[in-house]
Amino acid sequence: MNPIKLLKVGEKVKPIRTMLFVPGIKETWFEKVPSYQTDTVILDLEDSVPENLKNQARTNVSDAIKPLTDNGQRVYVRINRGPYCFNIKDLEAIIKKDLEGIVLPKLDGPEDIELIHRIISEIEFNKGLEVGSIKLIPTLETAKSIHAAYDIAIKPRVVALAGVSPRSGDVERELNYQWTAEGLERLYIRSHVVLAAKAAKVQPIGGLWQDIKDLEGLRKAAQFNRQLGFSGEMVIHPSHVPIVNEVYSPTEKEIAYYEGMIEAFNEALKEGRAAIVYEGEHIDYAHVKTAKQYVEAAKNYISS
């Protein structure tokens, strides 16, 4: 009998607007995280931690997971990638009951998900955890992984795809484009990640805005990413969290617009009409289906 219980395609996962990175070596910062109002925190064991401090960071992060979740904080951990596999010591240290999921860096392809899925399953089983409970968010930072986005997104445990493209980051180096704040050079790859994620029924996560002080630039970038279809973003500083949360949250005006559309359409149906003009626009079943989806999704953000 197969003991593995995995998320089904399309199964609801609580929305993620913000994922705040916190270096695993900065344990004095951990207790402040719940006050930042980030939907999820990423305790980082990878690029923000010097090689000689990896062991200390691993201990810090392992010890911090339960206290953070006890304070209502959803916790992910970004682990390290070695030449052959993801870091086993990282996995052994962090996989525990209160961890929501793992962020996977420098993914190569769907075969990486298959491998780590089996490793995590073994660790869960040995620790007496529900096998299949730890979620995965792969970050697509190589040309191969971006190209294979859909094949990665449909693999076990994957609940979101991170299509991040910061200035001077891994993707810029890999693809050799010239980064601009407007992002035209990244438009295709970001749209490709959104399409792959939506086709696989997982959340597309964007970001990262590197300029800590340029909050207006952050807002513009986040607004454009939301227009493209991203559901949230990875961020690197607490000051970025409220702005990104605001951008990815429905406004009262938007909710009122869609609720009004649904009400007007229902009244029209009573009169035997399935096509109406609402606030100057043609509306039929397709538009109302979108409106209902929007209003339903808005409830998740209002309650978070």
Side-chain angles (χ1 to χ4, degrees):
M1 181 177 180
N2 187 352
I4 298 176
K5 180 182 178 182
L6 296 172
L7 291 169
K8 298 176 182 178
V9 173
E11 186 171 338
K12 296 292 184 181
V13 176
K14 192 173 182 181
I16 297 173
R17 296 167 300 178
T18 42
M19 303 190 80
L20 173 65
F21 277 102
V22 177
I25 202 61
K26 300 291 187 179
E27 72 273 22
T28 57
W29 296 5
F30 294 168
E31 63 183 26
K32 301 177 184 178
V33 170
S35 68
Y36 298 146
Q37 301 299 305
T38 180
D39 288 344
T40 62
V41 63
I42 303 173
L43 302 179
D44 189 26
L45 296 176
E46 201 218 8
D47 282 350
S48 67
V49 178
E51 286 297 327
N52 64 318
L53 296 178
K54 295 288 187 184
N55 287 335
Q56 183 60 53
R58 193 178 293 123
T59 300
N60 294 345
V61 167
S62 180
D63 291 344
I65 293 172
K66 188 178 189 306
L68 283 168
T69 55
D70 285 347
N71 277 305
Q73 183 64 63
R74 298 165 65 189
V75 179
Y76 282 74
V77 176
R78 182 168 71 168
I79 61 174
N80 291 283
R81 167 103 192 218
Y84 302 106
C85 183
F86 292 100
N87 192 290
I88 303 298
K89 290 182 180 179
D90 288 352
L91 295 171
E92 287 280 5
I94 66 170
I95 291 176
K96 51 183 60 182
K97 178 178 177 292
D98 297 292
L99 180 69
E100 180 167 327
I102 298 170
V103 174
L104 302 177
K106 300 175 178 61
L107 202 73
D108 197 26
E111 64 278 4
D112 288 337
I113 303 294
E114 295 172 358
L115 175 61
I116 197 169
H117 159 57
R118 293 181 178 277
I119 295 171
I120 293 174
S121 297
E122 188 73 15
I123 296 173
E124 287 170 329
F125 179 78
N126 290 336
K127 291 189 174 186
L129 305 176
E130 181 183 14
V131 177
S133 60
I134 300 295
K135 302 171 177 65
L136 296 177
I137 299 182
T139 50
L140 309 182
E141 300 169 290
T142 66
K144 183 178 178 181
S145 66
I146 295 169
H147 180 70
Y150 175 74
D151 292 332
I152 291 169
I154 61 175
K155 289 298 179 182
R157 301 177 184 268
V158 175
V159 296
L161 284 185
V164 297
S165 50
R167 185 173 187 175
S168 302
D170 292 303
V171 179
E172 180 178 346
R173 183 179 66 254
E174 175 81 4
L175 300 185
N176 198 33
Y177 55 63
Q178 294 180 315
W179 190 94
T180 65
E182 294 74 22
L184 181 61
E185 72 286 347
R186 293 166 283 136
L187 178 58
Y188 169 74
I189 62 173
R190 286 188 288 178
S191 296
H192 177 70
V193 170
V194 170
L195 181 61
K198 294 294 186 180
K201 300 186 185 302
V202 302
Q203 298 181 52
I205 305 295
L208 292 150
W209 186 255
Q210 291 287 101
D211 193 330
I212 293 174
K213 294 183 178 180
D214 184 7
L215 300 184
E216 186 55 35
L218 166 70
R219 181 179 294 276
K220 289 179 180 179
Q223 287 172 336
F224 185 60
N225 279 339
R226 188 189 180 197
Q227 289 172 351
L228 289 179
F230 283 100
S231 60
E233 303 204 358
M234 292 179 171
V235 297
I236 60 171
H237 194 269
S239 65
H240 292 185
V241 172
I243 294 173
V244 175
N245 276 345
E246 179 187 343
V247 168
Y248 283 92
S249 297
T251 66
E252 292 183 4
K253 182 177 180 181
E254 289 168 335
I255 295 172
Y257 171 81
Y258 286 116
E259 287 180 336
M261 179 191 298
I262 295 168
E263 182 178 354
F265 189 76
N266 287 338
E267 289 299 316
L269 287 178
K270 295 177 183 178
E271 301 171 3
R273 294 182 293 129
I276 64 171
V277 175
Y278 173 71
E279 294 196 6
E281 297 184 20
H282 168 83
I283 300 298
D284 58 25
Y285 274 109
H287 305 88
V288 175
K289 185 176 181 180
T290 299
K292 289 179 178 178
Q293 179 177 302
Y294 188 93
V295 171
E296 183 62 30
K299 296 177 183 177
N300 293 318
Y301 294 104
I302 293 170
S303 61
S304 62

